[in-house]
Amino acid sequence: MKIRETRKASKARKERAANAASAARENEVRKDSLYAWVLAARPKTLSAALSPVAVGCALAVWAGCFKPVPAILCALFAVLMQIASNFINDYVDFEKGCDGEDRLGPRRACAQGWITPRKMKIGTAVVLVLALCAGLPLAYFGGENMLSVAMLCLIGAYAYSAGPYPLGPKGFGDLLVVIFFGIVAVGFTFYVQSNVWTPQATLCGLAVGFCIDLLLTVNNYRDCEQDRASGKKTLIARFGKDFGLRFYLGLGGFACTFALMLIPHGLKWAGLFPVLFLVPHFMTWMKIGSIREGRALNACLGETSRNIVIFSALLAVGLLVDAAAKLH
């Protein structure tokens, strides 16, 4: 028992030291520097952009229609759209005065003065143009409908944080994550390579979407009281932290359930492998419940990002194993 407690204390000290080192580096950020833009892009969130593309590509391998060029274009479009969404959120929250000194999450570029609001707007426009440069050629592979999908993604990135009725703060963020980071990202990555939509694509999209929503959930759990004070109506701000804990645990269960539903569709290992994700997922859930509040929850943000990668990797590997089984 003492050894276990000593290990926990040692791990906690290491996490505090890592957080202190990170904060020290952030304090040294030069205005409008490359490092400032990297921080504004929020690298830890990029797993949410690449994971669904990886799963969509693995599904294409299973279906025997993998094409590297559209796969790369999908990855570029997804990453650039995620960065643009982060920039928009950074700018809008600064304009609304949401990022004060009491902010619990990672620091924001505009609020800290690392990047001026004007340059953030310009940077957002540049990233969106680059995203379109990656997305528009997908029409060659997936037809003119891909132009509509690209424009829908642009509108979704903007409407999440900005506009007359920002959907994220109104409680629709979780739904948008499942749709855009799950069904759209996985399904259309597969579609531009296969030119068909299948039940397997829908199930993979739902599985990944519910898993990626864990990232938004731990953010909203940490910021629950601040969101209430600022008038945001996320699900956890509406229903409380106890609901948030159950919701976080349940999302992982739903993700695995949709993966298991692949088994009747000829994807045995793709259905079974993701169940292993429940081990780190449960451990992170326990950690969130023990911390409850404060900046210490940011460590759980990193763990959740890691767990998303684990889930997506297990699902993708399962698809590849099923693909190999088809050859024998």
Side-chain angles (χ1 to χ4, degrees):
M1 181 65 73
K2 288 184 178 180
I3 293 175
R4 185 180 302 172
E5 291 176 353
T6 302
R7 287 177 177 173
K8 287 183 177 179
S10 177
K11 187 176 181 180
R13 285 195 299 270
K14 288 180 180 178
E15 287 180 354
R16 287 195 295 268
N19 291 334
S22 177
R25 286 195 299 272
E26 289 180 355
N27 288 332
E28 297 173 358
V29 176
R30 295 197 309 273
K31 189 174 182 178
D32 297 326
S33 65
L34 176 61
Y35 184 48
W37 285 102
V38 170
L39 289 175
R42 301 183 217 169
K44 287 184 179 180
T45 67
L46 298 185
S47 63
L50 289 172
S51 293
V53 175
V55 171
C57 289
L59 184 60
V61 171
W62 173 80
C65 57
F66 175 74
K67 298 175 183 176
V69 174
I72 293 171
L73 290 173
C74 283
L76 288 172
F77 180 75
V79 169
L80 290 167
M81 284 303 304
Q82 177 64 45
I83 293 173
S85 179
N86 290 340
F87 285 176
I88 292 170
N89 187 246
D90 194 304
Y91 173 80
V92 170
D93 278 0
F94 172 75
E95 288 293 305
K96 292 181 178 179
C98 297
D99 293 331
E101 291 298 322
D102 60 342
R103 175 174 171 76
L104 299 176
R107 298 179 184 184
R108 297 287 179 83
C110 287
Q112 295 297 316
W114 299 336
I115 299 171
T116 63
R118 177 177 173 273
K119 289 188 176 180
M120 181 62 80
K121 289 172 71 175
I122 295 172
T124 302
V126 170
V127 174
L128 286 173
V129 169
L130 291 174
L132 282 175
C133 290
L136 292 179
L138 290 171
Y140 173 79
F141 299 96
E144 294 181 358
N145 288 336
M146 294 307 301
L147 299 177
S148 300
V149 173
M151 293 308 299
L152 189 63
C153 290
L154 291 176
I155 294 171
Y158 177 78
Y160 180 85
S161 302
Y165 192 84
L167 297 173
K170 298 298 183 181
F172 295 99
D174 302 279
L175 178 62
L176 291 177
V177 167
V178 173
I179 291 173
F180 285 101
F181 288 90
I183 298 171
V184 171
V186 174
F188 281 102
T189 296
F190 175 72
Y191 180 82
V192 295
Q193 299 176 65
S194 65
N195 294 125
V196 295
W197 193 284
T198 65
Q200 292 91 334
T202 301
L203 290 171
C204 284
L206 287 168
V208 173
F210 273 89
C211 186
I212 290 177
D213 194 36
L214 290 166
L215 206 57
L216 177 63
T217 301
V218 73
N219 264 298
N220 291 344
Y221 181 88
R222 180 199 61 213
D223 298 337
C224 178
E225 299 306 324
Q226 289 182 319
D227 286 346
R228 285 174 172 172
S230 62
K232 292 183 178 180
K233 297 180 180 179
T234 66
L235 291 180
I236 296 177
R238 288 172 185 261
F239 301 114
K241 283 201 163 186
D242 287 339
F243 164 82
L245 272 177
R246 294 192 297 270
F247 188 63
Y248 185 93
L249 183 64
L251 283 172
F254 277 118
C256 289
T257 298
F258 282 116
L260 287 168
M261 290 171 67
L262 290 166
I263 295 176
H265 294 278
L267 292 166
K268 174 184 175 183
W269 298 112
L272 293 175
F273 280 6
V275 176
L276 297 172
F277 145 88
L278 290 176
V279 176
H281 173 63
F282 183 79
M283 292 173 66
T284 301
W285 174 73
M286 290 286 289
K287 186 172 182 178
I288 293 171
S290 65
I291 296 173
R292 293 290 297 184
E293 60 185 19
R295 289 186 173 87
L297 284 168
N298 289 329
C300 300
L301 187 67
E303 288 187 16
T304 299
S305 181
R306 176 206 65 193
N307 293 347
I308 291 170
V309 172
I310 290 173
F311 178 87
S312 301
L314 288 168
L315 180 53
V317 169
L319 288 165
L320 295 177
V321 172
D322 284 321
K326 285 175 65 178
L327 300 176
H328 299 288

